[in-house]
Amino acid sequence: MKTYLMARRFGAVAISLALASCTTTQADFYKKPEAVSKAALCRALVETQDPAFYQGLLGEVARRGIAPQECYQMVQEQNQAAVALAAIALVGTAVAVCANNNCGGGYAPSRRYPGNCYSYYDRAADGSLCGNRSAMSRPGGW
């Protein structure tokens, strides 16, 4: 179970780093604005709190012919994809943990029943339903 928790944490860190790498710093932007990718430019435009940097980003977005609304939509789609990926990873982890810990419920005998009629709906050797002849139907089981 410790492995699954570590994998889940690693996934969360990987998603955070991936989204963080999709932005640009002010120094990188002002050094060479045309070298900044569209995704990094849009994410910085959406996330910045600095009005002067925002105006610079807005100017570069306009120079490239990108509508600001397109940036907001792209960042929203990236965030939704990241959330979906995290949800899939979380569900996968939960399924794996349950598979290893038998948290699905039901009866899991410690040893296999030696005959054909363990449950009411099993088939006997002659092909008929076991019904009340099954081990689960008898007091004390098998």
Side-chain angles (χ1 to χ4, degrees), residues 47-106:
E47 293 179 353
T48 188
Q49 301 294 319
D50 183 358
F53 187 40
Y54 181 82
Q55 289 300 319
L57 292 166
L58 205 54
E60 181 63 21
V61 165
R63 187 189 70 73
R64 293 186 189 188
I66 304 168
Q69 184 58 32
E70 186 181 340
C71 281
Y72 288 105
Q73 185 176 0
M74 181 181 10
V75 170
Q76 183 180 14
E77 288 170 0
Q78 288 174 347
N79 290 345
Q80 288 172 347
V83 168
L85 184 62
I88 289 169
L90 184 64
V91 169
T93 302
V95 167
V97 168
C98 274
N100 287 336
N101 295 325
N102 191 28
C103 59

Side-chain angles (χ1 to χ4, degrees), residues 15 35 37 51 75 92 101 112 116 125-126 131:
I15 289 170
S37 71
V75 170
N101 295 325
R112 285 186 62 85
N116 293 338
D126 64 359

Side-chain angles (χ1 to χ4, degrees), residues 102 105-112 118:
N102 191 28
Y107 178 75
S110 58
R111 55 183 203 256
R112 285 186 62 85
Y118 176 71

